[in-house]
C-alpha cells in the first residue's frame, strides 16, 4: 500500500494506516516498516524516531510540558494560529488533542493572566489535573483560581490562571473582578448556540461577551463545527480553523433490535462478546435507565471475590453514608462503575480514576456527562438508546452531532488505535451520518435574542419586558442589578406567574410563623416548590426540607426516614437518585434562585419586612449555610470533590485564608495527618490532589 496508489481524502488514508497498526501483531515493528508514509500523513505520533524525517521533525516538536510527547503537525499549527491571531475558533475531532495544544501554548508563551472557561465542574477538575498535578513543575509560577471572590483583590501583575465555569464569571460583581486577560479559552463552545429552554446557554454567551472585551487574545474550542455564522458581528472577529485530523479511528457497529424492551438484553450480549479486558462505556440517556440496567442485568452477575483497596474503602463508606441498596454500590460490587452528572463530583472523580487505572473495572455505565468534554480511556462505547438526558422527544432531539460526540469518546492516542461504538438500534431510531455531525452554529449574542437585547439595554422592541417592569414598579437599572442575566426573562416571567398563583397561600403561610410557636416549614417549602416548578410534587419538597436541615443529616438517614413514613412501597433507587440530585445541584441553584426571585416579588409588592425575614430565616439562610454560599474557600473544596459533610472539619485544620488552589494543595499536604474523622471519599480526593 503506497500513498501514490490512493486517491482519497487524507484522513481516509490515515485511517487505513492506523487500522494497519491496530491489526499488526507487533505495532511498533509495523510502524517502523511504514515510518515514511506515516510521517507523510502527519502521523508523527507513530513514526516517532523510525525515519530520518521523523527524527528531524520531532527535534522541533517535543512538548515543553511533557518531554515524552511529540506534538503532531496539526497541533503545532494550532499553537502558531493562537500566536498569530487575537481571536480564534478551533474545530477538531475529540481525539485531536485540542486541550493539550492550549496548555502547550501557555507553557511556551507564558501569557501572564489566563482565563479558562468550561461548562462543568468535571472539566474544571480535568484542567486542574493537567495544570497543578500532572504538569505541576511547568505551571508552578501561576496562581490557580477556581472561584472569584468579591472580597479579594487579585494581583494581575503576577501570573494567574483562572479555571472557571461560565456561571462563575457572568454576574456583575464577579466578572468585573477580572481586570486583565492575556489569553482566554472557552471549551465546548458549541454551547454558545441559542437554546431558549436553557438559562446556562445565556450565561455562557454573557461570559464570552464580557470577557472577550477584556481579553487580548481568545480561543474557542469545539468538535464537529463546520462554521460559526455571523462571525463578523462579533466585536473581535475570530478566525475559524477547522481540522479533520485524528490519530485514532472510530468504527460504528449497528446492532438492530425489533422491540424496545430488548435494549438491555442486547447490551448484555455485546458485553459478553467483548469480555472484561477492554475499557467499555455503556451510555444511557437517563439515570433511571442506569439503575434499571443495574437491577435488571448487572445484579444477576456474580460479585467480585475481592476489591482493590480504594474500592473496598469507598464501598464501606457509601453503604453507611448513602445506602447499601444504592445501585452504584451494587454495580461496584460486580465490577461496574457509574458516572452521571447527578453524582457528587468526588464520586464521579473516583469512578473516572478507577476506570482509567484499575483493570478489574473495565465497564462504566454513564449518561450524557460524556458530551461535556470529559476525556476517557475507552476502547468501546455501547449506545443503548439515541437520546439525551431530560429530553422527552428522544431520538429526534438526539442529533448526529450528539451521536458522533459519543462515538468520539472511544479510542485514545497512545492507548487505542481503534475505538468502536456499538449502536443498539430499534426500528424507530434514526441512522446517523458523519457528514451530518458537522454543523454550522450561531452564537446567541449574534442571533435574534430577546435576552441578549435585554442585556445590551435594547428593550424598546420588547413590550412584554417593558410591561413586566411596570408590573413590578421597577426600572431597567434595578432589574439588571437585582436580577441580572443569570435567568432568562422567560424564567423570571414564569416564576412571577407562579408566584401570583400562590401569593395568597404564601402570605398566609409566612404569617403562620408569627402566630404559631414552633411552626414547621414544610408547607412553606411546598408552596415555594410550586413557584419554582409550576406544579406540585409529593416527594421532592419533603426531601428539600430534610436537605436544608442545619444538622447535615446523612443521606442514609433521610432515605430510611422517607421509606418509614411512606404508606406504600417505594423505589429506593428513585429516592436515592432524587436526594442526590436535589443535594448536588437543584437546591443550591434552581430552588435557591427562584426563592430569591420570590422574595424580590414580595418586596416589590410591599410585604412587611418581618415576613421577608421569616423567608430568610426559614429557607434562604439555611441553604446558604448548608451549601457554603458565602464562603468561596469552602466552595473551592466542594468544587475539588471534597464531601460536604467534611468541609468544616478540614477548614478547622487548614484555615480558609488560602490564596489560590496551589496554596490550598500545600496546606492539605502539610496537614493531611491532622485531618481526623473525615470520610474516605474526601481523603481519597485530597491524596489525588496533593
Amino acid at each position: 500500500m503506497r500513498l501514490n496508489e490512493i486517491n482519497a481524502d487524507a484522513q481516509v488514508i490515515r485511517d487505513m494506516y492506523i487500522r494497519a497498526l491496530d491489526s499488526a501483531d507487533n505495532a511498533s515493528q509495523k510502524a517502523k516498516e511504514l515510518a515514511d508514509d506515516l510521517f507523510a500523513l502527519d502521523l508523527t505520533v507513530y513514526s516517532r524516531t523510525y525515519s530520518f524525517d521523523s527524527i528531524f521533525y520531532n527535534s522541533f516538536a517535543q512538548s515543553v510540558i511533557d518531554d515524552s510527547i511529540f506534538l503532531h503537525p496539526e497541533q503545532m499549527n494550532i499553537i502558531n494560529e493562537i500566536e498569530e491571531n487575537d481571536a480564534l475558533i478551533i474545530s477538531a475531532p475529540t481525539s485531536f488533542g485540542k486541550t493539550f495544544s492550549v496548555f502547550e501554548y501557555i507553557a511556551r508563551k507564558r501569557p501572564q493572566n489566563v482565563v479558562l472557561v468550561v461548562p462543568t465542574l468535571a472539566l474544571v477538575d480535568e484542567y486542574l489535573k493537567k495544570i497543578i498535578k500532572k504538569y505541576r513543575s511547568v505551571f508552578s509560577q501561576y496562581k490557580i483560581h477556581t472561584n472569584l471572590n468579591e472580597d479579594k483583590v487579585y494581583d494581575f501583575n503576577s501570573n494567574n490562571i483562572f479555571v472557571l465555569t461560565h456561571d462563575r464569571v457572568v454576574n456583575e460583581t464577579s466578572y468585573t473582578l477580572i481586570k486583565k486577560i492575556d489569553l482566554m479559552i472557552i471549551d465546548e463552545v458549541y454551547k454558545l448556540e441559542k437554546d431558549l429552554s436553557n438559562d446556562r446557554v445565556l450565561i455562557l454567551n454573557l461570559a464570552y461577551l464580557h470577557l472577550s472585551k477584556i481579553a487580548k487574545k481568545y480561543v474557542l474550542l469545539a468538535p464537529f463545527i463546520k462554521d460559526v455564522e455571523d462571525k463578523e458581528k462579533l466585536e473581535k472577529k475570530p478566525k475559524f480553523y477547522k481540522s479533520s485530523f485524528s490519530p485514532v479511528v472510530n468504527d460504528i457497529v449497528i446492532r438492530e433490535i425489533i422491540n424496545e424492551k430488548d435494549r438491555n438484553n442486547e447490551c448484555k450480549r455485546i458485553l459478553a462478546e467483548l469480555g472484561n479486558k477492554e475499557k467499555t462505556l455503556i451510555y444511557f440517556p437517563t439515570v433511571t435507565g442506569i439503575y434499571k440496567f443495574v437491577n435488571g442485568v448487572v445484579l444477576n452477575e456474580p460479585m467480585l471475590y475481592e476489591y482493590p483497596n480504594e474500592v473496598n474503602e469507598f464501598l464501606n463508606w457509601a453503604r453507611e453514608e448513602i445506602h447499601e441498596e444504592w445501585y452504584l454500590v451494587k454495580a461496584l460490587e460486580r465490577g461496574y462503575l457509574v458516572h452521571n452528572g447527578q453524582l457528587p463530583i468526588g464520586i464521579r472523580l473516583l469512578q473516572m480514576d478507577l476506570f482509567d487505572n484499575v483493570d478489574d473495572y473495565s465497564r462504566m455505565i454513564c449518561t450524557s456527562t460524556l458530551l461535556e468534554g470529559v476525556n476517557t480511556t475507552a476502547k468501546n462505547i455501547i449506545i443503548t438508546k439515541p437520546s439525551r438526558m431530560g429530553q422527552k422527544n428522544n431520538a429526534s432531539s438526539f442529533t448526529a452531532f450528539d451521536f458522533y460526540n459519543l462515538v468520539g469518546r472511544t479510542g485514545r492516542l497512545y492507548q487505542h488505535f481503534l475505538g468502536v461504538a456499538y449502536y443498539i438500534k430499534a426500528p424507530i431510531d434514526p441512522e446517523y451520518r458523519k457528514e451530518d455531525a458537522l454543523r454550522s452554529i450561531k452564537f446567541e449574542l449574534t442571533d435574534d435574542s430577546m435576552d441578549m437585547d435585554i442585556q445590551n439595554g435594547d428593550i424598546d422592541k420588547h413590550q412584554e419586558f417593558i410591561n413586566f417592569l411596570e408590573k413590578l414598579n421597577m426600572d431597567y437599572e434595578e432589574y439588571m442589578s437585582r436580577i441580572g442575566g443569570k435567568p432568562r426573562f422567560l424564567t423570571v416571567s414564569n416564576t412571577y406567574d407562579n408566584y401570583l398563583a400562590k401569593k395568597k397561600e404564601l402570605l398566609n403561610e409566612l404569617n403562620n410563623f408569627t402566630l404559631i410557636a414552633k411552626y414547621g416549614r414544610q408547607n412553606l417549602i411546598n408552596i415555594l416548590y410550586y413557584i419554582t416548578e409550576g406544579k406540585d410534587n409529593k416527594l421532592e419538597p419533603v426531601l428539600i426540607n430534610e436537605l436544608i436541615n442545619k444538622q447535615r443529616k446523612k443521606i442514609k438517614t433521610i432515605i430510611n426516614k422517607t421509606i418509614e413514613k411512606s404508606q406504600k412501597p417505594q423505589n429506593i433507587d428513585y429516592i436515592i437518585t432524587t436526594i442526590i440530585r436535589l443535594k448536588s445541584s437543584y437546591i443550591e441553584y434552581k430552588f435557591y434562585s427562584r426563592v430569591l426571585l420570590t422574595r424580590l416579588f414580595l418586596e416589590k409588592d410591599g410585604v412587611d419586612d418581618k415576613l421577608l425575614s421569616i423567608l430568610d430565616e426559614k429557607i434562604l439562610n439555611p441553604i446558604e449555610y448548608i451549601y457554603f454560599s458565602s464562603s468561596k474557600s469552602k466552595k473551592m473544596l466542594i468544587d475539588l470533590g471534597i464531601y460536604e459533610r467534611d468541609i468544616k472539619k478540614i477548614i478547622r485544620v487548614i484555615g480558609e485564608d488560602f490564596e489560590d488552589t496551589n496554596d490550598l494543595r500545600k496546606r492539605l499536604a502539610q496537614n493531611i495527618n491532622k485531618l481526623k474523622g473525615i470520610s474516605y471519599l474526601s481523603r481519597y480526593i485530597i491524596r489525588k490532589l496533593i
Side-chain angles (χ1 to χ4, degrees):
M1 179 171 60
R2 302 299 302 172
L3 291 179
N4 57 10
E5 297 173 348
I6 302 173
N7 182 20
D9 176 80
Q11 188 57 45
V12 173
I13 303 173
R14 290 189 196 104
D15 290 352
M16 295 172 62
Y17 278 82
I18 295 169
R19 290 179 190 280
L21 294 176
D22 181 70
S23 61
D25 293 333
N26 186 325
S28 297
Q29 181 59 40
K30 191 68 174 178
K32 291 176 183 178
E33 296 170 7
L34 301 175
D36 288 332
D37 287 354
L38 292 171
F39 175 80
L41 287 165
D42 289 343
L43 290 171
T44 55
V45 292
Y46 300 131
S47 63
R48 300 183 67 79
T49 58
Y50 302 149
S51 73
F52 175 78
D53 288 336
S54 294
I55 294 172
F56 182 76
Y57 169 81
N58 283 331
S59 67
F60 295 98
Q62 187 173 31
S63 167
V64 173
I65 296 176
D66 186 337
D67 59 13
S68 69
I69 292 176
F70 298 90
L71 281 74
H72 58 69
E74 283 289 277
Q75 287 178 307
M76 296 295 289
N77 287 343
I78 291 296
I79 291 172
N80 292 333
E81 291 288 345
I82 296 174
E83 178 66 12
E84 293 172 5
N85 294 278
D86 291 338
L88 182 67
I89 301 173
I90 300 172
S91 173
T94 304
S95 55
F96 177 95
K98 298 185 292 294
T99 302
F100 190 88
S101 301
V102 167
F103 286 133
E104 184 72 20
Y105 176 85
I106 296 170
R108 292 181 179 211
K109 303 300 181 179
R110 303 290 183 180
Q112 189 171 34
N113 294 286
V114 179
V115 176
L116 303 167
V117 182
V118 297
T120 65
L121 286 173
L123 277 175
V124 171
D125 173 75
E126 188 161 308
Y127 277 22
L128 288 179
K129 283 181 179 178
K130 290 180 170 69
I131 296 171
I132 69 173
K133 186 68 185 286
K134 188 171 183 180
Y135 306 123
R136 188 178 297 162
S137 60
V138 177
F139 295 98
S140 60
Q141 65 177 291
Y142 285 95
K143 295 178 180 177
I144 311 295
H145 312 278
T146 58
N147 271 288
L148 292 172
N149 189 339
E150 292 85 351
D151 299 325
K152 182 176 179 179
V153 177
Y154 294 93
D155 179 9
F156 290 96
N157 291 319
S158 62
N159 294 327
N160 299 283
I161 295 179
F162 296 85
V163 189
L164 306 165
T165 57
H166 46 267
D167 52 345
R168 296 280 168 85
V169 297
V170 73
N171 68 71
E172 188 172 356
T173 56
S174 289
Y175 77 78
T176 55
L177 295 172
I178 302 178
K179 304 297 185 183
K180 181 183 176 185
I181 303 174
D182 297 287
L183 174 65
M184 177 181 71
I185 309 294
I186 299 183
D187 206 351
E188 303 297 299
V189 77
Y190 60 88
K191 293 179 178 295
L192 281 162
E193 191 171 31
K194 186 169 76 171
D195 179 356
L196 294 179
S197 66
N198 191 334
D199 286 357
R200 293 176 68 84
V201 171
L202 174 64
I203 293 170
L204 180 56
N205 274 269
L206 293 175
Y208 166 71
L209 177 66
H210 296 314
L211 297 182
S212 63
K213 292 178 180 178
I214 305 170
K216 291 182 181 179
K217 188 184 292 288
Y218 72 76
V219 180
L220 312 179
L221 304 175
F224 302 123
I225 300 297
K226 185 187 300 182
D227 198 3
V228 175
E229 299 177 23
D230 294 336
K231 296 187 295 294
E232 64 280 358
K233 293 182 180 179
L234 299 172
E235 190 167 320
K236 187 187 294 181
K237 180 183 175 181
K239 178 180 179 179
F240 184 77
Y241 183 92
K242 182 177 70 173
S243 175
S244 62
F245 179 89
S246 177
V248 301
V249 176
N250 301 111
D251 278 347
I252 298 169
V253 177
I254 297 176
R255 300 292 288 263
E256 294 188 348
I257 57 173
I258 61 173
N259 193 311
E260 184 72 18
K261 295 179 180 179
D262 293 337
R263 291 190 190 274
N264 282 355
N265 287 330
E266 186 62 31
C267 181
K268 180 180 177 181
R269 279 191 285 272
I270 296 170
L271 289 171
E273 294 170 11
L274 292 175
N276 293 316
K277 292 183 179 180
E278 297 177 343
K279 297 288 184 178
T280 300
L281 300 168
I282 309 163
Y283 169 80
F284 286 88
T286 66
V287 177
T288 302
I290 289 180
Y291 65 66
K292 285 183 177 179
F293 179 76
V294 170
N295 291 319
V297 175
V298 175
L299 199 58
N300 296 322
E301 297 188 16
M303 296 175 66
L304 298 180
Y305 290 112
E306 57 181 354
Y307 309 111
N309 183 60
E310 59 263 50
V311 175
N312 193 52
E313 294 277 3
F314 173 77
L315 283 172
N316 289 336
W317 172 80
R319 293 181 188 117
E320 181 61 27
E321 179 69 28
I322 313 294
H323 206 280
E324 61 273 10
E325 292 299 315
W326 188 20
Y327 71 88
L328 187 144
V329 169
K330 297 175 186 175
L332 281 171
E333 289 173 340
R334 291 159 178 82
Y336 286 78
L337 300 162
V338 178
H339 189 288
N340 64 72
Q342 294 181 12
L343 294 173
I345 189 166
I347 295 178
R348 280 183 271 161
L349 299 181
L350 172 65
Q351 302 294 295
M352 289 296 297
D353 286 345
L354 292 172
F355 187 71
D356 288 342
N357 301 310
V358 179
D359 291 339
D360 288 341
Y361 284 91
S362 61
R363 298 168 172 180
M364 184 158 66
I365 315 168
C366 54
T367 59
S368 58
T369 48
L370 285 178
L371 297 174
E372 306 292 345
V374 177
N375 289 316
T376 68
T377 57
K379 166 74 172 177
N380 311 298
I381 186 170
I382 302 171
I383 303 173
T384 64
K385 187 172 184 176
S387 176
R388 293 189 67 174
M389 185 178 292
Q391 294 182 335
K392 296 179 180 178
N393 199 19
N394 292 338
S396 63
S397 56
F398 188 84
T399 66
F401 178 87
D402 298 322
F403 181 83
Y404 280 96
N405 207 353
L406 279 179
V407 171
R409 300 300 162 188
T410 65
R412 183 59 52 192
L413 185 61
Y414 305 122
Q415 293 177 316
H416 307 296
F417 296 107
L418 178 68
V420 183
Y422 294 85
Y423 173 27
I424 299 177
K425 183 182 180 302
I428 62 170
D429 296 335
E431 295 182 3
Y432 295 104
R433 301 184 307 166
K434 193 164 188 177
E435 54 266 34
D436 295 332
L438 287 169
R439 60 186 175 115
S440 296
I441 64 171
K442 182 187 288 190
F443 297 166
E444 182 166 353
L445 75 162
T446 62
D447 208 339
D448 182 18
S449 167
M450 177 181 181
D451 290 295
M452 290 306 303
D453 287 342
I454 290 172
Q455 295 302 312
N456 293 324
D458 185 14
I459 64 173
D460 291 342
K461 58 184 177 182
H462 299 293
Q463 191 62 42
E464 180 184 359
F465 178 72
I466 295 171
N467 293 342
F468 182 79
L469 294 181
E470 291 175 355
K471 286 181 191 177
L472 266 64
N473 191 26
M474 179 186 288
D475 60 23
Y476 172 77
E477 287 71 23
E478 185 179 7
Y479 180 93
M480 292 305 297
S481 65
R482 301 290 297 275
I483 298 175
K486 282 201 169 184
R488 291 187 180 276
F489 172 66
L490 181 61
T491 298
V492 178
S493 178
N494 287 342
T495 304
Y496 183 68
D497 290 342
N498 296 340
Y499 159 76
L500 292 179
K502 289 288 185 178
K503 179 180 174 181
K504 184 176 179 180
E505 290 180 51
L506 177 60
L507 291 173
N508 287 340
E509 196 61 31
L510 291 172
N511 271 305
N512 283 339
F513 287 95
T514 68
L515 302 173
I516 305 171
K518 297 183 179 180
Y519 188 68
R521 67 184 172 194
Q522 185 62 67
N523 287 337
L524 176 59
I525 292 176
N526 293 344
I527 294 168
L528 293 170
Y529 182 89
Y530 180 92
I531 294 172
T532 298
E533 295 293 336
K535 60 185 178 181
D536 293 314
N537 186 289
K538 292 182 179 180
L539 177 63
E540 293 191 10
V542 173
L543 297 177
I544 290 171
N545 193 22
E546 295 288 344
L547 290 167
I548 62 174
N549 188 309
K550 289 187 176 181
Q551 293 179 356
R552 297 185 187 275
K553 297 179 180 179
K554 289 182 180 180
I555 290 177
K556 186 173 183 177
T557 301
I558 299 173
I559 293 166
N560 290 339
K561 182 178 178 181
T562 302
I563 293 174
E564 182 182 326
K565 285 191 170 185
S566 178
Q567 297 178 351
K568 59 181 182 180
Q570 294 287 328
N571 182 324
I572 192 168
D573 279 316
Y574 176 74
I575 294 174
I576 296 173
T577 297
T578 303
I579 290 173
I580 292 177
R581 175 177 60 82
L582 296 175
K583 183 181 177 70
S584 296
S585 60
Y586 179 87
I587 293 174
E588 181 182 2
Y589 297 108
K590 186 173 183 179
F591 186 72
Y592 179 75
S593 66
R594 301 300 192 273
V595 176
L596 280 177
L597 280 175
T598 302
R599 191 191 191 283
L600 175 60
F601 300 150
L602 288 167
E603 179 187 331
K604 300 304 291 185
D605 277 344
V607 170
D608 193 297
D609 285 346
K610 184 188 296 184
L611 298 185
L612 296 178
S613 297
I614 291 171
L615 187 60
D616 293 341
E617 177 190 347
K618 300 298 179 181
I619 305 296
L620 292 171
N621 293 346
I623 294 175
E624 291 167 1
Y625 176 84
I626 292 291
Y627 296 96
F628 309 113
S629 302
S630 60
S631 173
K632 297 298 183 183
S633 55
K634 293 173 183 173
K635 289 293 291 182
M636 189 185 299
L637 287 166
I638 290 282
D639 292 350
L640 293 175
I642 303 298
Y643 194 59
E644 55 92 9
R645 288 189 356 116
D646 297 322
I647 298 294
K648 287 194 171 182
K649 298 174 186 176
I650 295 172
I651 289 295
R652 279 197 293 267
V653 174
I654 69 170
E656 53 182 320
D657 59 338
F658 36 86
E659 187 174 356
D660 68 338
T661 305
N662 281 333
D663 188 16
L664 169 60
R665 180 185 59 78
K666 291 176 184 176
R667 294 194 190 193
L668 290 170
Q670 292 167 356
N671 293 282
I672 189 165
N673 293 326
K674 299 178 183 178
L675 298 175
K676 307 297 183 183
I678 65 172
S679 68
Y680 172 75
L681 181 64
S682 293
R683 193 169 293 279
Y684 175 87
I685 295 297
I686 291 170
R687 286 202 306 268
K688 286 291 182 178
L689 181 65
I690 64 178

